[in-house]
């Protein structure tokens, strides 16, 4: 018996050794081949560490801007690190709690009020000289001032705004016997026109959507509403304009059938910054989307014929209106190199040298901080290359563009707004009930926050 | 002295694990008891708020109750269903037929695929327009539902998907089946028991310790259900898949409401401990440890 077992054990041992050796070789290979962290190009300079969330083609743009900053410097070296979007906020909070945050972070999540309220961020106006403050107040677009501000202080400086407008396909217009030179000036007209552009297959299923209004955050300001009273600082949820906006969204979705739209859109790649943007493939004739698509169409479908127009308001609504967010820079309070970070923020945003920064905005197809940057030769050159981009610049100065309300529970509020739209358009709640529910949910959260000692 | 020295050497050897356990498990575990009575946003120091978090959860947070209800419903449906399927599979794969190990491997394989990868694949399988399931249904003239995007189907889609990973417990049942003494079957056959009687009077009773183990683990797993919902539905549509752990995650890491989330975690812990304890109480009635 023992004689039989011994060779088996020996074989097993040999097998195990071979397996361990294989694992060792793979592990060693992984260690040797793994990309090494970015080395310092200017070890003699003071490092300024930046975190950002861009990847792929966008990361290349960031690296170029960082390179230009480092070329322009003799004192600081900016070291950029791309962190995964999913965990970026958590990573920053943990780093700040551990006393070692980056010196500057590029953000686009709705975090400014929350983080400012927690004492995490440096008020940028404290880093500004009087001249810079005056310049910012004088030159920055109204939305830029609203976006980064919380309780009277500026915590985030915009390095690229996002504005939405209507992209439309003239070829679809012509095919339906419509004049692409006359884009509707009211939402009512747009909806009627969209109906003429809808297409169905032989089974009655949608094969193309003419126009489908979506996103309560855009529609509420267009209907003259919104979620915040900027004078009193109160939330405004159950208002007549908001109700009309939500009822409009619900009604339009009902016309096409909620399930039909879900089915149609689930076959498309509707999210992200994809080459497969369904507007390019012709799945939509008119689509509300952000300005960054212009750059992407230029790259991926340079021969596509398309135009861009501002989202028309409904009768009695507000023109040049809608919701905006953007990319902005924040400097944590515990940053070790706040001055160096501020130098970089000024460099990228163009607060002090708008002509130089104009180029950076064109690299990512971003909207600038101020009209001075927009007027710079590099930006004008970009507009000549992409005339569709002009529409966004026309909308940009509007006072009617609104960001999310600057409340410290902004993510909760954003979730609530999405939930409200979802339950209304699905028909689970009437628009009145959905708004009432949102109002109640927010009141409850506000009361809870007060109870545990928050100011708001 | 020598004994103490030996102990110290022993502790020194396990110290990497011990230190890791203390820092990353024990201290956070007990800290969360304190944190559940505070408001805490990670950045600022925790501030004592008494039982306010618990009071709000019980009295003034509909989403807490909703997420708890969804999680209970999932545990009540998915655990028995999973048990039934894995026992049935184990019985089928316990036959000595040629190539049985290939079938065992095939059924076991899905359970070793990472959950995130499985979830992403199922998002395609359940896609209303281009998905596999609706594609097959279309061949029979049936228009399938929108699955993950339909509030009436999303929860059931996740329940159905849970069956995909029963291979892990199936293997444990197979091992359990191998442990059933052959003489019991021989005696039963001599006494004239038919296959159904052998299954219900011998196989299943002898398998109850393994079933018990899998049910306990399944219930604990069901109350911690998170990844699939996080990847596939983010709690939607209309909160129909807002599992407790998902809501807890939102509160902790999206709203940075760590005190509140800690209170939720402790409530979950107590629920799981209570249910596990209750299951242990019942085992004397239906779990057979004798040979």
């Amino acid at each position: 018996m023992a004689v039989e077992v011994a060779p088996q054990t020996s074989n097993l041992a040999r097998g195990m050794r071979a397996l361990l050796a294989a694992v060792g070789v793979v592990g060693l290979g992984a260690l040797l081949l793994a990309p090494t962290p970015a080395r310092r190009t200017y070890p003699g300079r003071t490092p300024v560490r930046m975190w950002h969330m861009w990847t792929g083609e966008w990361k290349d743009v960031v690296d170029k801007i960082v390179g230009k900053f480092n070329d322009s410097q003799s004192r600081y070296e900016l070291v950029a690190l791309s962190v995964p979007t999913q965990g970026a906020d958590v990573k920053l909070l943990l780093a700040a709690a551990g006393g070692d945050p980056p010196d500057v972070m590029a953000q686009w999540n709705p975090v400014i009020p929350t983080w400012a309220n927690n004492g995490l961020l440096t008020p940028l106006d404290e880093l500004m000289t009087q001249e810079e403050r005056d310049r910012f107040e004088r030159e920055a677009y109204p939305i830029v001032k609203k976006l980064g501000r919380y309780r009277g202080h500026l915590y985030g400086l915009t390095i690229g705004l996002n504005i939405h407008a209507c992209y439309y396909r003239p070829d679809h217009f012509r095919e339906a016997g419509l004049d692409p030179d006359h884009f509707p000036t009211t939402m009512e007209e747009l909806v009627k026109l969209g109906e003429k552009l809808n297409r169905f297959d032989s089974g009655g299923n949608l094969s193309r959507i003419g126009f489908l209004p979506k996103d309560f955050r855009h529609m509420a300001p267009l209907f003259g509403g919104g979620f915040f009273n900027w004078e009193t600082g109160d939330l405004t949820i159950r208002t007549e304009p908001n109700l009309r906006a939500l009822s409009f969204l619900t009604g339009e979705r009902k016309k096409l059938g909620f399930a039909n739209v879900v089915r149609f859109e689930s076959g498309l790649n509707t999210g992200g910054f994809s080459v497969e943007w369904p507007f390019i493939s012709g799945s939509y004739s008119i689509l509300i989307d952000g300005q960054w698509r212009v750059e992407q169409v230029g790259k991926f479908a340079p021969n596509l014929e398309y135009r861009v127009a501002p989202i028309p308001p409904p009768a009695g609504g507000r023109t040049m209106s809608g919701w905006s967010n953007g990319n902005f820079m924040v400097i944590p309070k515990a940053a070790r190199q706040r001055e160096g970070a501020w130098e970089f923020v000024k460099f990228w945003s163009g607060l002090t040298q708008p002509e130089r920064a104009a180029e950076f905005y064109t690299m990512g197809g971003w909207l600038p901080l101020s009209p001075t940057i927009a007027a710079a030769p590099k930006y004008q050159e970009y507009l000549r290359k992409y005339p569709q981009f002009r529409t966004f610049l026309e909308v940009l100065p509007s006072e009617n563009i609104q960001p999310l309300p600057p409340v410290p529970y902004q993510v909760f509020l954003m979730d609530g707004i999405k939930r409200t739209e979802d339950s209304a358009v699905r028909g689970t709640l009437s628009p009145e009930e959905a708004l009432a529910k949102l109002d109640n949910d927010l009141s409850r959260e506000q009361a809870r926050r007060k109870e545990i000692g928050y100011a708001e | 002295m020598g004994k103490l020295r030996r102990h110290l050497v022993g502790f020194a050897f396990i110290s990497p694990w011990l230190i890791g356990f203390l820092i990353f498990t024990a201290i956070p575990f007990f800290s969360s008891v304190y944190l559940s009575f505070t408001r805490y946003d990670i950045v600022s120091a925790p501030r004592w708020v008494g039982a306010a978090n618990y009071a709000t959860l019980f009295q003034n947070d509909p989403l807490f109750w909703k997420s708890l209800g969804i999680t209970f419903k999932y545990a009540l449906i998915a655990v028995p269903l999973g048990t039934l399927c894995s026992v049935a599979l184990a019985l089928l794969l316990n036959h000595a037929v040629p190539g049985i190990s290939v079938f065992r491997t095939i059924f076991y394989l899905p359970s070793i695929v990472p959950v995130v990868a499985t979830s992403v694949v199922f998002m395609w399988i359940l896609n209303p327009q281009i998905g596999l399931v609706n594609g097959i249904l279309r061949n029979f003239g049936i228009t399938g539902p929108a699955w993950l995007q339909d509030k009436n189907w999303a929860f059931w889609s996740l329940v159905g998907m849970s069956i995909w990973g029963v291979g892990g417990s199936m293997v444990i049942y197979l091992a359990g089946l191998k442990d059933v003494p052959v003489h019991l079957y021989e005696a039963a056959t001599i006494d004239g028991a038919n296959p159904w009687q052998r299954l219900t009077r011998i196989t299943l009773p002898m398998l109850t310790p393994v079933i018990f183990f899998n049910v306990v683990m399944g219930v604990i797993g069901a109350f911690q259900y998170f990844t699939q919902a996080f990847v596939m539905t983010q709690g939607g549509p209309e909160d129909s898949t807002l599992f407790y752990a998902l809501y807890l995650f939102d509160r902790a890491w999206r709203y940075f409401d760590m005190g509140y989330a800690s209170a939720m975690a402790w409530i979950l812990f107590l629920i799981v401990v209570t249910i596990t304890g209750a299951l242990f109480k019942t085992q004397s009635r239906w779990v057979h440890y004798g040979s």
Side-chain angles (χ1 to χ4, degrees):
Chain A
M1 198 67 182
V3 177
E4 282 174 23
V5 170
Q8 279 177 5
T9 314
S10 163
N11 281 342
L12 188 70
R14 264 205 298 277
M16 283 301 288
R17 272 203 297 275
L19 182 70
L20 282 174
V23 169
V25 167
V26 171
L28 194 68
L31 275 176
L32 291 175
L33 296 174
T36 47
R39 285 206 181 86
R40 297 277 309 279
T41 317
Y42 307 98
R45 295 189 198 168
T46 309
V48 176
R49 294 167 308 141
M50 177 182 73
W51 288 358
H52 64 86
M53 302 187 285
W54 283 288
T55 52
E57 54 178 304
W58 301 95
K59 182 180 173 295
D60 296 342
V61 171
V62 174
D63 289 342
K64 272 185 204 159
I65 297 170
V66 167
K68 282 181 186 281
F69 174 74
N70 287 338
D71 290 345
S72 76
Q73 277 287 318
S74 57
R75 188 171 170 200
Y76 299 110
E77 181 188 1
L78 198 111
V79 184
L81 178 71
S82 170
V83 294
T85 314
Q86 270 291 341
D89 295 355
V90 173
K91 191 176 162 75
L92 183 85
L93 286 180
L94 294 177
D100 189 24
D103 300 307
V104 57
M105 185 173 188
Q107 261 287 354
W108 56 70
N109 291 332
V111 292
I112 285 184
T114 314
W115 289 1
N117 193 44
N118 294 350
L120 179 71
L121 301 179
T122 304
L124 298 182
D125 35 24
E126 286 178 9
L127 296 175
M128 287 174 169
T129 61
Q130 187 58 45
E131 193 200 335
E132 285 164 356
R133 257 195 298 272
D134 291 344
R135 185 167 223 183
F136 179 76
E137 291 302 331
R138 196 175 56 241
E139 291 186 0
Y141 285 115
I143 179 66
V144 172
K145 293 183 209 165
K146 276 183 183 168
L147 205 60
R149 212 180 283 272
Y150 177 67
R151 296 198 153 214
H153 287 286
L154 187 76
Y155 288 95
L157 196 63
T158 309
I159 49 162
L161 276 162
N162 291 330
I163 296 279
H164 287 64
C166 292
Y167 286 77
Y168 68 99
R169 301 269 304 241
D171 52 337
H172 291 191
F173 274 55
R174 287 185 210 110
E175 170 214 300
L178 300 163
D179 180 5
D181 294 331
H182 289 93
F183 194 77
T185 51
T186 67
M187 183 58 79
E188 291 81 359
E189 283 174 45
L190 180 58
V191 164
K192 274 188 193 151
L193 187 134
E195 285 167 9
K196 292 178 189 160
L197 292 162
N198 289 333
R199 291 290 176 273
F200 300 86
D201 64 15
S202 53
N205 301 311
L206 269 170
S207 58
R208 182 175 84 193
I209 288 183
F211 171 68
L212 180 65
K214 270 195 227 172
D215 205 333
F216 192 25
R217 290 171 303 185
H218 286 305
M219 289 303 149
L222 276 163
F223 275 74
F227 306 107
F228 195 65
N229 184 327
W230 293 87
E231 281 161 21
T232 63
D234 294 324
L235 289 177
T236 50
I237 305 297
R238 286 177 86 174
T239 62
E240 190 51 38
N242 284 357
L243 180 60
R244 280 195 291 125
L246 191 58
S247 305
F248 168 72
L249 286 168
T250 309
E252 289 307 313
R253 186 60 78 94
K254 210 179 265 177
K255 277 188 202 165
L256 279 176
F258 185 84
N260 290 340
V261 175
V262 165
R263 214 170 285 281
F264 173 73
E265 291 193 330
S266 66
L268 311 171
N269 190 344
T270 50
F273 305 100
S274 169
V275 186
E276 298 151 2
W277 186 39
F279 179 77
I280 295 178
S281 61
S283 300
Y284 297 91
S285 301
I286 304 165
L287 190 62
I288 295 176
D289 215 317
Q291 85 293 334
W292 63 88
R293 298 293 189 189
V294 173
E295 173 82 14
Q296 287 186 325
V297 176
K299 261 185 199 157
F300 303 123
N303 299 321
L304 181 79
E305 187 196 5
Y306 74 101
R307 297 182 198 175
V308 181
I311 310 171
R318 288 199 203 111
T319 53
M320 302 288 188
S321 190
W323 172 70
S324 171
N325 64 347
N327 309 317
F328 48 85
M329 292 283 197
V330 290
I331 299 179
K333 243 186 192 153
R336 289 178 198 158
Q337 288 301 330
R338 286 203 286 180
E339 285 72 24
W342 177 237
E343 277 303 311
F344 180 64
V345 173
K346 280 193 290 183
F347 180 85
W348 187 334
S349 66
L351 182 65
T352 45
Q353 287 188 281
E355 300 227 336
R356 181 180 60 190
E359 185 191 357
F360 311 150
Y361 285 97
T362 63
M363 286 177 174
W366 291 310
L367 288 161
L369 175 112
S370 66
T372 324
I373 299 172
K378 278 276 182 191
Y379 212 88
Q380 288 299 313
E381 194 183 307
Y382 186 74
L383 293 177
R384 279 192 292 278
K385 186 178 171 193
Y386 296 121
Q388 293 93 337
F389 212 84
R390 284 186 190 281
T391 303
F392 298 99
L393 274 178
E394 285 164 21
V395 180
L396 189 54
S398 169
E399 293 274 358
N400 295 336
I401 296 289
Q402 293 188 20
L404 274 179
V407 290
Y409 44 92
Q410 215 175 35
V411 180
F412 182 90
L413 170 68
M414 195 172 69
D415 285 354
I417 293 170
K418 280 186 186 162
R419 200 175 265 135
T420 302
E421 181 174 353
D422 202 25
S423 46
V425 295
R426 282 172 185 271
T428 309
L429 296 176
S430 70
E432 292 89 344
E433 289 167 342
L435 273 185
K437 184 175 178 303
L438 176 62
D439 200 34
N440 284 341
D441 290 348
L442 289 168
S443 304
R444 205 166 35 235
E445 186 65 11
Q446 285 167 332
R448 188 181 86 80
R449 290 179 62 84
K450 289 220 167 101
E451 190 192 339
I452 57 175
Y454 285 114
E456 61 170 329
Chain B
M1 198 61 191
K3 199 174 172 186
L4 178 70
R5 196 188 158 92
R6 269 208 312 281
H7 282 161
L8 283 177
V9 170
F11 277 117
F13 271 110
I14 61 163
S15 61
W17 178 86
L18 208 57
I19 292 166
F21 173 76
L22 283 174
I23 294 176
F24 296 114
T25 306
I27 294 173
F29 182 81
F30 290 108
S31 302
S32 70
V33 182
Y34 165 69
L35 290 177
S36 72
F37 293 97
T38 66
R39 72 163 216 222
Y40 178 46
D41 57 24
I42 303 181
V43 183
S44 350
R47 189 169 141 180
W48 184 261
V49 294
N53 290 331
Y54 290 96
T56 309
L57 278 167
F58 286 120
Q59 295 164 10
N60 215 4
D61 187 351
L63 277 185
F64 164 76
W65 291 108
K66 183 160 190 176
S67 62
L68 197 59
I70 289 167
T71 310
F72 261 102
K73 187 169 141 190
Y74 181 79
L76 277 172
I77 297 164
V79 175
L81 191 66
T83 309
L84 194 74
C85 291
S86 45
V87 170
L89 264 181
L91 289 171
L92 277 175
L93 296 174
N94 196 31
H95 291 287
V97 290
I100 192 70
S101 52
V102 174
F103 286 106
R104 282 178 193 157
T105 311
I106 289 171
F107 281 101
Y108 179 65
L109 270 180
S111 67
I112 57 168
V113 176
V115 182
V116 173
T118 308
S119 303
V120 172
V121 171
F122 265 85
M123 282 169 76
W124 166 71
I125 290 175
L126 297 172
N127 183 294
Q129 189 74 4
I130 53 170
L132 183 69
V133 177
N134 280 6
I136 294 170
L137 290 175
R138 220 170 287 135
N139 288 336
F140 296 98
I142 302 167
T143 309
W147 301 111
L148 296 168
Q149 292 166 59
D150 184 329
K151 64 172 179 167
N152 298 318
W153 283 97
F155 174 83
W156 297 103
S157 304
L158 295 180
V159 170
M161 193 183 126
S162 70
I163 306 296
W164 181 251
V166 295
S169 45
M170 177 204 77
V171 168
I172 302 175
Y173 287 123
L174 266 175
L177 287 172
K178 298 285 173 209
D179 265 357
V180 181
V182 181
H183 67 256
L184 295 178
Y185 292 113
E186 286 169 354
T189 312
I190 291 163
D191 288 346
N194 62 27
W196 176 251
Q197 286 168 324
R198 291 203 295 272
L199 173 72
T200 54
R201 304 290 170 85
I202 300 171
T203 311
L204 290 180
M206 292 305 287
L207 212 53
T208 48
V210 186
I211 294 176
F212 176 71
F213 168 78
N214 273 332
V215 166
V216 169
M217 298 310 286
V219 167
I220 294 172
F223 276 96
Q224 295 172 344
Y225 190 85
F226 173 77
T227 315
Q228 294 88 332
F230 180 72
V231 174
M232 297 168 76
T233 61
Q234 292 87 48
E238 291 189 73
D239 301 324
S240 60
T241 58
L242 187 70
F243 286 84
Y244 192 90
L246 198 57
Y247 183 44
L248 193 157
F249 175 88
D250 277 350
R251 279 284 174 186
W253 298 108
R254 292 187 66 239
Y255 306 157
F256 302 112
D257 214 344
M258 290 291 166
Y260 200 72
S262 298
M264 286 185 71
W266 271 93
I267 293 169
L268 180 67
F269 177 72
L270 292 178
I271 291 172
V272 171
V273 166
T274 310
I275 291 177
T276 310
L279 282 172
F280 268 89
K281 281 263 180 205
T282 65
Q283 66 168 332
S284 60
R285 291 192 210 151
W286 62 279
V287 183
H288 304 276
Y289 286 105
S291 60

